[in-house]
Amino acid sequence: MPAISGKTALVTGASRGIGRATALALAEGGAQVIVHYGRGKTEAEAVVAEICSRGGKAEAVAADLAAQDGAHKLAKQVRAVVGDRLDILVASAGITKAATIEETTVEDFDRLFAVNVRAPFFLMQQLLPILRERSSVVLFSSIAVRSAGGPISAHAATKGAVETLTRQFAAALGARGVRVNAVAPAVVRADRSTFAKTEAGIEFALGMQALKRLAEPQDIGRVIAFLACDESRWITGATVPVECGSKLWCE
Ligand SMILES: NC(=O)c1ccc[n+]([C@@H]2O[C@H](COP(=O)([O-])OP(=O)(O)OC[C@H]3O[C@@H](n4cnc5c(N)ncnc54)[C@H](OP(=O)(O)O)[C@@H]3O)[C@@H](O)[C@H]2O)c1
């Protein structure tokens, strides 16, 4: 991936799961990567160590994205590391909560929107001054926007909001040469994805997919690396389904 060599990248939620795989993929392509984490300091430091041991450049930064000023604090730290240019922003940090409509509390609802929608919005706002011509932003949607796979209506609504932001940001920033896209994975065998570890979860995922193996975080990370690099320069405002044909069965 020569088109990202020497570029600067921030990956939120890079201490584990898809964010971790994305940080490793971007570093493999030659980018300097800021590995953001919430509580997983040890895990984030291990990602940094892995990148550095392969000759790459990375550092870990912490910020609680559920906090009102979490995105602002993160942006400040990022600017201290990269200065006046951020080439790649991947907002992978996210939470989910399985709960029926009846079970969903106001606190759950607010926290889901705080981490999944408010944080990426204000991170974009705070980093706008250092996003330049050919910078690429990747946000996170989910197949949950287009399928009803379980009791996750509040979570799915956050991802619908992210897809709306993707189009709005892309339209607003196109004139500056900044691209904004989203990825929409289906079931991924990520660290905290308990669903993908149950027999029912695996059966559900494989039943939907065209290919009969569970997605690994790397499967998503490689696509994000493509969206981050100049090879995808004619894609913006898009939500890219990275779900192995799952929608073939959902639509
Ligand atoms: N896994 C799937 O099947 C799947 C499917 C569709 C979409 N997605 C989306 O893909 C993205 C990544 O998912 P994943 O499965 O890789 O997640 P994961 O393994 O659960 O990791 C979540 C990441 O987000 C960070 N995070 C969560 N809450 C945070 C907070 N309050 N402040 C700061 N960081 C916080 C975590 O940091 P710490 O651990 O350091 O606190 C962690 O690095 C999410 O947006 C998710 O909605 C996932």
Side-chain angles (χ1 to χ4, degrees):
M1 241 174 299
I4 58 172
S5 185
K7 293 199 173 191
T8 53
L10 163 66
V11 183
T12 72
S15 52
R16 62 182 86 247
I18 301 168
R20 175 181 182 276
T22 302
L24 294 174
L26 294 177
E28 194 188 319
Q32 172 192 353
V33 185
I34 299 177
V35 175
H36 160 263
Y37 66 95
R39 295 190 194 145
K41 186 172 195 280
T42 311
E43 291 84 352
E45 284 173 353
V47 176
V48 169
E50 192 170 336
I51 292 171
C52 295
S53 72
R54 295 178 189 166
K57 210 170 159 195
E59 66 184 88
V61 299
D64 177 9
L65 296 178
Q68 255 193 1
D69 59 352
H72 298 70
K73 283 185 173 163
L74 175 56
K76 205 169 167 190
Q77 294 181 77
V78 170
R79 294 179 72 157
V81 175
V82 300
D84 65 357
R85 181 172 192 109
L86 182 68
D87 299 300
I88 299 164
L89 163 59
V90 181
S92 179
I95 53 172
T96 187
K97 171 119 194 189
T100 62
I101 298 168
E102 294 88 340
E103 288 164 356
T104 301
T105 64
V106 172
E107 288 74 25
D108 291 340
F109 189 94
D110 284 350
R111 193 173 174 85
L112 283 164
F113 271 82
V115 177
N116 295 358
V117 185
R118 186 179 70 194
F121 182 95
F122 285 100
L123 198 52
M124 276 291 286
Q125 181 200 69
Q126 295 299 305
L127 291 172
L128 263 186
I130 63 166
L131 293 176
R132 301 296 179 89
E133 174 86 30
R134 290 163 65 198
S135 287
S136 173
V137 176
V138 182
L139 306 179
F140 267 76
S141 180
S142 163
I143 194 173
V145 172
R146 271 165 284 276
S147 73
I152 49 168
S153 50
H155 168 80
T158 68
K159 298 304 186 180
V162 168
E163 291 196 12
T164 300
L165 286 181
T166 302
R167 289 189 290 272
Q168 294 293 327
F169 286 158
L173 301 181
R176 287 175 47 178
V178 176
R179 294 184 300 115
V180 185
N181 292 294
V183 288
V187 179
V188 181
R189 203 200 309 263
D191 305 356
R192 282 193 190 154
S193 179
T194 44
F195 184 64
K197 285 175 189 142
T198 63
E199 251 180 59
I202 294 168
E203 201 180 317
F204 174 81
L206 298 187
M208 286 198 304
Q209 293 173 191
L211 300 181
K212 301 302 174 192
R213 76 161 171 82
L214 216 53
E216 301 292 340
Q218 295 86 330
D219 295 319
I220 319 300
R222 308 298 303 182
V223 176
I224 294 168
F226 167 70
L227 289 173
C229 80
D230 290 342
E231 299 308 312
S232 62
R233 60 187 169 273
W234 213 236
I235 305 177
T236 193
T239 295
V240 179
V242 197
E243 31 72 319
C244 198
S246 296
K247 282 198 306 186
L248 299 173
W249 279 264
C250 292
E251 281 178 342

